[in-house]
Short mmCIF file of all heavy atoms in Angstrom, two decimals:
data_model
loop_
_atom_site.label_atom_id
_atom_site.label_comp_id
_atom_site.label_asym_id
_atom_site.label_seq_id
_atom_site.Cartn_x
_atom_site.Cartn_y
_atom_site.Cartn_z
N GLU J 186 20.40 10.50 -1.55
CA GLU J 186 20.30 9.43 -0.56
C GLU J 186 21.06 9.86 0.70
O GLU J 186 22.20 10.33 0.60
CB GLU J 186 20.88 8.12 -1.10
CG GLU J 186 20.83 6.99 -0.05
CD GLU J 186 21.13 5.60 -0.60
OE1 GLU J 186 21.49 5.48 -1.79
OE2 GLU J 186 20.98 4.62 0.18
N ALA J 187 20.41 9.72 1.85
CA ALA J 187 21.04 10.03 3.13
C ALA J 187 21.78 8.78 3.61
O ALA J 187 21.17 7.72 3.75
CB ALA J 187 19.98 10.43 4.14
N LEU J 188 23.09 8.90 3.84
CA LEU J 188 23.87 7.73 4.25
C LEU J 188 24.57 8.02 5.58
O LEU J 188 25.19 9.08 5.74
CB LEU J 188 24.90 7.39 3.16
CG LEU J 188 24.27 6.86 1.86
CD1 LEU J 188 25.16 7.08 0.66
CD2 LEU J 188 23.91 5.38 2.00
N SER J 242 16.17 9.84 0.05
CA SER J 242 16.09 8.41 0.34
C SER J 242 16.78 8.11 1.67
O SER J 242 17.86 8.64 1.94
CB SER J 242 16.77 7.61 -0.76
OG SER J 242 16.23 7.96 -2.01
N VAL J 243 16.13 7.27 2.47
CA VAL J 243 16.69 6.86 3.76
C VAL J 243 16.64 5.34 3.81
O VAL J 243 15.65 4.73 3.41
CB VAL J 243 15.86 7.47 4.93
CG1 VAL J 243 16.35 6.96 6.27
CG2 VAL J 243 15.92 8.99 4.90
N ASN J 244 17.74 4.72 4.27
CA ASN J 244 17.79 3.25 4.33
C ASN J 244 17.12 2.74 5.61
O ASN J 244 17.32 3.30 6.69
CB ASN J 244 19.24 2.78 4.30
CG ASN J 244 19.87 3.08 2.97
OD1 ASN J 244 19.65 2.39 1.98
ND2 ASN J 244 20.64 4.17 2.92
N ILE J 245 16.37 1.67 5.45
CA ILE J 245 15.63 1.09 6.57
C ILE J 245 16.12 -0.34 6.79
O ILE J 245 16.26 -1.10 5.83
CB ILE J 245 14.11 1.08 6.25
CG1 ILE J 245 13.60 2.53 6.06
CG2 ILE J 245 13.32 0.35 7.30
CD1 ILE J 245 13.79 3.43 7.24
N GLU J 276 14.28 3.00 1.64
CA GLU J 276 14.92 1.92 0.86
C GLU J 276 15.03 0.66 1.70
O GLU J 276 15.54 0.69 2.82
CB GLU J 276 16.31 2.36 0.41
CG GLU J 276 16.27 3.57 -0.50
CD GLU J 276 17.61 3.85 -1.18
OE1 GLU J 276 18.61 3.14 -0.88
OE2 GLU J 276 17.67 4.77 -2.00
N ILE J 277 14.57 -0.43 1.12
CA ILE J 277 14.63 -1.73 1.81
C ILE J 277 15.39 -2.67 0.89
O ILE J 277 15.03 -2.80 -0.29
CB ILE J 277 13.21 -2.28 2.09
CG1 ILE J 277 12.48 -1.35 3.06
CG2 ILE J 277 13.25 -3.68 2.68
CD1 ILE J 277 11.41 -0.56 2.46
N THR J 278 16.43 -3.34 1.40
CA THR J 278 17.25 -4.16 0.50
C THR J 278 16.47 -5.38 0.03
O THR J 278 15.65 -5.94 0.75
CB THR J 278 18.56 -4.64 1.15
OG1 THR J 278 18.22 -5.36 2.31
CG2 THR J 278 19.47 -3.50 1.50
N SER J 304 11.31 1.90 -1.89
CA SER J 304 12.24 1.51 -2.95
C SER J 304 12.89 0.17 -2.60
O SER J 304 13.19 -0.09 -1.43
CB SER J 304 13.31 2.61 -3.06
OG SER J 304 14.29 2.24 -3.99
N ILE J 305 13.10 -0.66 -3.61
CA ILE J 305 13.82 -1.93 -3.40
C ILE J 305 15.30 -1.65 -3.68
O ILE J 305 15.66 -1.33 -4.81
CB ILE J 305 13.37 -3.03 -4.38
CG1 ILE J 305 11.86 -3.12 -4.44
CG2 ILE J 305 14.03 -4.37 -4.03
CD1 ILE J 305 11.37 -4.07 -5.54
N ASP J 306 16.13 -1.77 -2.64
CA ASP J 306 17.56 -1.45 -2.77
C ASP J 306 18.35 -2.70 -3.18
O ASP J 306 17.92 -3.83 -2.92
CB ASP J 306 18.06 -0.94 -1.41
CG ASP J 306 19.29 -0.06 -1.52
OD1 ASP J 306 19.84 0.09 -2.63
OD2 ASP J 306 19.69 0.50 -0.48
N ASP J 307 19.49 -2.48 -3.80
CA ASP J 307 20.43 -3.57 -4.15
C ASP J 307 19.75 -4.68 -4.93
O ASP J 307 20.02 -5.88 -4.69
CB ASP J 307 21.09 -4.16 -2.88
CG ASP J 307 21.82 -3.10 -2.08
OD1 ASP J 307 22.09 -2.02 -2.64
OD2 ASP J 307 22.13 -3.35 -0.90
N LYS J 327 16.19 -0.15 -7.25
CA LYS J 327 17.58 0.27 -7.45
C LYS J 327 18.42 -0.92 -7.87
O LYS J 327 18.55 -1.89 -7.11
CB LYS J 327 18.15 0.87 -6.16
CG LYS J 327 17.46 2.15 -5.75
CD LYS J 327 18.06 2.76 -4.53
CE LYS J 327 19.20 3.69 -4.87
NZ LYS J 327 19.66 4.46 -3.68
N GLU J 363 22.64 2.24 -9.33
CA GLU J 363 23.63 2.68 -8.35
C GLU J 363 25.03 2.42 -8.89
O GLU J 363 25.22 1.49 -9.68
CB GLU J 363 23.54 1.82 -7.09
CG GLU J 363 22.30 1.92 -6.30
CD GLU J 363 22.38 1.02 -5.06
OE1 GLU J 363 22.89 -0.11 -5.14
OE2 GLU J 363 21.94 1.49 -4.02
N GLN J 383 22.84 7.17 -9.70
CA GLN J 383 23.52 7.60 -8.50
C GLN J 383 24.92 7.02 -8.62
O GLN J 383 25.06 5.87 -9.04
CB GLN J 383 22.79 6.94 -7.33
CG GLN J 383 22.87 7.64 -6.02
CD GLN J 383 22.11 6.86 -4.97
OE1 GLN J 383 21.00 6.41 -5.20
NE2 GLN J 383 22.73 6.69 -3.82
MG1 MG I 2 20.31 2.55 -0.15
#
Side-chain angles (χ1 to χ4, degrees):
E186 178 168 6
L188 291 156
S242 306
V243 175
N244 293 282
I245 298 301
E276 298 191 356
I277 295 109
T278 58
S304 176
I305 312 172
D306 204 354
D307 302 343
K327 295 183 88 171
E363 295 181 319
Q383 206 180 315

